[in-house]
Amino acid sequence: MSSHTIDELIADNGVRGRYVLVRSDLNVPLDGATVTDDGRVRASLPVIGKLAEAGAKVIVMAHLGRPKGQVDAKYSIAPAANRLDELADFDVAVAEDVVGDSARQLAANLEEGSVLVLENVRFDARETSKDDAQREEFAKELAALTGQNGAYVNDAFGAVHRKHASVYDIASLLPSYQGDLVATEVKVLKTLTEAPKRPYVVVLGGSKVSDKLAVIDNLLGKADQLLIGGGMAFTFLKAQGFAIGSSLLEEDQIATCQEYLQRAEKLGCDIIVPSDVVVASKFGADAEHEVLAADKIEEASFGSNGLGLDIGPKSAELFASYITSANTVFWNGPMGVFEIPAFAEGTRTVAQALADSEAFSVVGGGDSAAAVRALGFSEDDFGHISTGGGASLEYLEGKTLPGVAALEG
Ligand code: ADP
Ligand code: MG
């Protein structure tokens, strides 16, 4: 089954004067009200722009952070929407609510070729509700903003793994189309699952350990090497019997890691965990830190309570050499706390190896993408930088993505 594209939407009857509700991914990192990485805004721009150019009245729905179903100024969509406005050559208005008076009034007065961004859809608890009826009610209110002849476009790859009202339920209420960003992302991920050129190396890191462990299960039989850095490395080290001080640990996943290590051996897939790590006295830029062997984390000069915040230089070089010999690489999750320069080297070494390699490379994950940009790499150095961390992982786990499936058939 396949979905309709926005080119079809534009070609079919034209969209001039027609309302198009677009679900975009504007979930950018903020420092106060400053967007610290606008990658997702820029990735959302082409589809919004194409529709505006074709004369549609574009209403953008997006979320930012996890405001827990209530209005919370800290999670206002405004900084992301303002960034969109700066980048765009069309008008962008921002509603003060999601489906309230402000949204309805601005929508009703929207001009052809103009864009309205609704306030954070997660300010309404029905967006993420587990109750189908509540989500559907919210989806109906969103759809109602489009009047009689609206259409829906999902271009929010970062949210397609969520069964949420603006991602999933709304697709059954309006003629629905797949945005170009979602189409590109799905196409790239398909090449990673269907016929990756070998050697196929998967690099995993970051801090959401249990989220990411699940993907290993499905990749064990597919990848040639799994390189494990970031926070999850420490649960693996613990599973191998090492003492890890106060490093990130998911106690209840130790047995899972042990099982993965055993299964990997049987399947001929290598799981490579760091042999050395950068251990810090505390979490912070002013921490003391030293490089220690992975089995000596508790022997730091400042005491046994240290935290591993990066992979060590030997591990980074080893990871880089695997990447250099690979023909396909998928990377999700920074190797360390790259936001602090002292713990950014592992991530930098891996990113450099990937940038230099001829392999087909995909970088997934919001922070991973932010890391390569923050460390000064050009996006062109990588085959594809995915806007969706969780979504790309779930796809690689072999799961159906509700937001993609809802557009099909
Ligand atoms: P992504 O968004 O790319 O999927 P995550 O959100 O899972 O990645 O993780 C990114 C975060 O992981 C970064 O903010 C980084 O500081 C943190 N991180 C990486 N390594 C460690 C570690 N060893 N201990 C604690 N946090 C870590
Ligand atoms: Mg993240």
Side-chain angles (χ1 to χ4, degrees):
M1 271 193 284
S2 68
S3 340
H4 295 288
T5 65
I6 63 164
D7 290 331
E8 290 174 67
L9 166 62
I10 291 169
D12 275 355
N13 305 304
V15 281
R16 184 157 301 280
R18 191 172 169 194
Y19 282 98
V20 181
L21 201 50
V22 181
R23 179 59 161 96
S24 296
D25 179 6
L26 302 180
N27 187 23
V28 290
L30 293 179
D31 181 4
T34 307
V35 175
T36 53
D37 182 75
D38 66 1
R40 284 175 167 165
V41 177
R42 281 185 289 114
S44 300
L45 191 56
V47 158
I48 298 171
K50 213 186 224 184
L51 292 165
E53 177 122 326
K57 300 177 177 180
V58 184
I59 302 176
V60 176
M61 314 176 276
H63 78 280
L64 196 141
R66 297 187 175 190
K68 306 208 173 96
Q70 57 199 27
V71 177
D72 182 342
K74 190 162 88 227
Y75 295 110
S76 172
I77 203 75
N82 292 337
R83 184 73 191 119
L84 179 69
D85 192 22
E86 284 165 16
L87 294 167
D89 49 15
F90 43 81
D91 284 334
V92 179
V94 192
E96 281 165 30
D97 48 33
V98 192
V99 285
D101 289 345
S102 166
R104 282 199 298 264
Q105 196 174 359
L106 288 165
N109 295 321
L110 200 60
E111 310 243 350
E112 289 182 11
S114 289
V115 174
L116 169 65
V117 180
L118 303 178
E119 199 28 296
N120 191 337
V121 284
R122 291 192 189 168
F123 280 0
D124 194 308
R126 295 172 297 176
E127 164 70 2
T128 60
S129 173
K130 298 257 183 290
D131 180 343
D132 293 352
Q134 286 198 7
R135 284 199 321 274
E136 201 178 313
E137 181 191 82
F138 182 50
K140 279 186 181 149
E141 291 175 24
L142 288 163
L145 295 171
T146 67
Q148 294 305 308
N149 188 28
Y152 168 66
V153 171
N154 189 349
D155 200 36
F157 183 70
V160 290
H161 59 313
R162 306 289 186 201
K163 201 173 167 187
H164 291 169
S166 68
V167 175
Y168 176 77
D169 303 84
I170 195 151
S172 57
L173 301 176
L174 295 172
S176 299
Y177 300 82
Q178 187 176 56
D180 298 352
L181 179 61
V182 170
T184 304
E185 296 268 11
V186 170
K187 196 170 140 215
V188 166
L189 289 171
K190 237 183 204 148
T191 62
L192 286 184
T193 47
E194 284 174 0
K197 275 177 78 185
R198 299 188 174 278
Y200 176 19
V201 171
V202 174
V203 192
L204 294 175
S207 57
K208 297 177 202 154
V209 178
S210 37
D211 279 14
K212 298 191 181 188
L213 281 174
V215 74
I216 296 179
D217 195 45
N218 194 47
L219 287 172
L220 274 178
K222 302 202 167 90
D224 297 295
Q225 279 103 24
L226 279 167
L227 314 179
I228 312 286
M232 80 172 73
F234 299 94
T235 304
F236 272 97
L237 290 172
K238 184 87 180 178
Q240 292 180 320
F242 300 148
I244 59 166
S246 301
S247 308
L248 214 59
L249 171 66
E250 296 220 4
E251 195 95 48
D252 57 350
Q253 301 290 331
I254 295 173
T256 311
C257 290
Q258 280 163 342
E259 192 268 323
Y260 289 161
L261 289 163
Q262 285 163 6
R263 188 143 46 97
E265 205 160 313
K266 277 190 215 125
L267 291 167
C269 166
D270 302 317
I271 294 184
I272 319 282
V273 297
S275 60
D276 60 346
V277 291
V278 182
V279 182
S281 57
K282 60 174 184 176
F283 194 102
D286 56 345
E288 288 179 62
H289 52 87
E290 38 197 75
V291 174
L292 294 165
D295 58 352
K296 299 205 163 43
I297 291 175
E298 297 196 347
E299 293 175 26
S301 62
F302 45 74
S304 59
N305 228 358
L307 306 96
L309 294 187
D310 195 9
I311 59 172
K314 268 196 212 134
S315 309
E317 282 311 319
L318 181 67
F319 285 16
S321 72
Y322 278 117
I323 291 168
T324 304
S325 3
N327 275 313
T328 306
V329 183
F330 174 71
W331 177 23
N332 179 293
M335 296 293 96
V337 181
F338 72 93
E339 297 92 337
I340 301 176
F343 313 116
E345 283 312 302
T347 304
R348 186 193 305 281
T349 304
V350 161
Q352 187 68 56
L354 209 56
D356 293 341
S357 102
E358 302 279 292
F360 176 65
S361 58
V362 179
V363 182
D367 290 286
S368 312
V372 304
R373 287 190 285 261
L375 295 173
F377 291 92
S378 156
E379 288 185 22
D380 304 337
D381 292 339
F382 304 92
H384 178 73
I385 298 191
S386 175
T387 51
S392 55
L393 286 173
E394 291 202 10
Y395 188 95
L396 294 183
E397 275 170 45
K399 288 188 187 157
T400 301
L401 301 172
V404 172
L407 303 173
E408 289 171 352

